[in-house]
Amino acid sequence: MVKNTVFGRMWLFCLLLVSISCSDGRFSSGDEAKLCELPDGSIVILNKQSALTFEMNDTVRQAVLTGEAFFKVTKSDVPFEVQAGAGLIRVLGTEFSVDATDEQLDVEVESGVVELEKNGRKRKVRKGERVFYDDVKSVLKQGHAEFKHHIWTDDFKDDMRALGKEIEKGGKKLGEGIKKVSKDLKDKL
């Protein structure tokens, strides 16, 4: 129970650090994946070399994605949209990944349902499904999700766990230092 509490505090601390760095509505990942919490509480993990802008008002929550990202969308009556490449993904609350380039769009749904709109065509994508659009062939293909995003999101989670362990080690050393100083003060007083 103590480990879970310590880990929980470390995880919240890491999220706070990341949230502070992602609070302006414009996010980019650079050479490493990046975790961002959007103002509506949704979580986005941007893959390397990806970027996202986010705006929200009373009628829509809208993200514009360049690159690849995994979304865990907070449920709301206000629709959540992701503009990626020349496609538009609409959702109310779900988990899904998007990989977008100028020529292709790939959407996989981990839970819930999203609606993909591309060149006037709409397609619902459900849990465990994938829709792939190839601009060269101008066709939407639907199939089973491969969940390729797990490769890079798992690497990111491993990095966060390692950071948490480093923070925990630092916290233990700090705690030991505080105890020693406290004991020294007690002895002197």
Side-chain angles (χ1 to χ4, degrees), residues 109-125:
V109 176
E110 196 152 314
S111 69
V113 179
V114 301
E115 179 181 77
L116 172 64
E117 183 177 338
K118 178 74 174 161
N119 295 339
R121 297 181 190 145
K122 293 182 182 180
R123 178 81 52 96
K124 293 223 189 261
V125 189

Side-chain angles (χ1 to χ4, degrees), residues 6-52:
V6 171
F7 181 74
R9 281 191 217 139
M10 288 185 301
W11 181 248
L12 286 173
F13 177 73
C14 292
L15 277 177
L16 176 63
L17 286 176
V18 170
S19 295
I20 290 169
S21 67
C22 295
S23 61
D24 64 357
R26 294 182 188 275
F27 321 101
S28 61
S29 57
D31 292 335
E32 294 188 14
K34 184 175 187 176
L35 175 76
C36 297
E37 182 174 0
L38 302 179
D40 70 339
S42 296
I43 301 293
V44 178
I45 303 175
L46 290 174
N47 197 1
K48 298 173 185 176
Q49 307 304 324
S50 297
L52 181 89

Side-chain angles (χ1 to χ4, degrees), residues 12-181:
L12 286 173
F13 177 73
C14 292
L15 277 177
L16 176 63
L17 286 176
V18 170
S19 295
I20 290 169
S21 67
C22 295
S23 61
D24 64 357
R26 294 182 188 275
F27 321 101
S28 61
S29 57
D31 292 335
E32 294 188 14
K34 184 175 187 176
L35 175 76
C36 297
E37 182 174 0
L38 302 179
D40 70 339
S42 296
I43 301 293
V44 178
I45 303 175
L46 290 174
N47 197 1
K48 298 173 185 176
Q49 307 304 324
S50 297
L52 181 89
T53 58
F54 182 78
E55 294 180 12
M56 95 179 184
N57 58 42
D58 294 340
T59 59
V60 69
R61 300 174 289 167
Q62 188 168 45
V64 178
L65 173 69
T66 304
E68 186 174 7
F70 176 78
F71 293 83
K72 184 172 184 176
V73 178
T74 301
K75 289 186 180 185
S76 172
D77 292 334
V78 179
F80 189 99
E81 298 180 349
V82 178
Q83 181 70 49
L88 181 68
I89 300 111
R90 289 187 188 96
V91 62
L92 288 176
T94 190
E95 296 180 26
F96 63 102
S97 67
V98 178
D99 187 2
T101 65
D102 290 339
E103 298 84 30
Q104 298 178 8
L105 178 62
D106 193 351
V107 178
E108 293 184 337
V109 176
E110 196 152 314
S111 69
V113 179
V114 301
E115 179 181 77
L116 172 64
E117 183 177 338
K118 178 74 174 161
N119 295 339
R121 297 181 190 145
K122 293 182 182 180
R123 178 81 52 96
K124 293 223 189 261
V125 189
R126 291 172 173 69
K127 177 181 178 178
E129 293 181 340
R130 171 186 185 215
V131 170
F132 178 83
Y133 180 81
D134 187 334
D135 219 17
V136 175
K137 297 178 183 176
S138 288
V139 64
L140 278 174
K141 295 180 180 179
Q142 194 156 357
H144 294 288
E146 298 173 12
F147 300 120
K148 291 178 185 174
H149 69 276
H150 282 254
I151 296 166
W152 59 268
T153 56
D154 287 349
D155 287 346
F156 178 78
K157 289 175 188 174
D158 290 344
D159 290 346
M160 291 301 288
R161 279 190 203 99
L163 175 61
K165 286 179 183 176
E166 288 299 315
I167 291 171
E168 185 176 353
K169 284 180 189 174
K172 284 180 183 176
K173 287 180 183 175
L174 180 62
E176 290 168 5
I178 290 171
K179 283 181 186 176
K180 186 178 185 303
V181 169

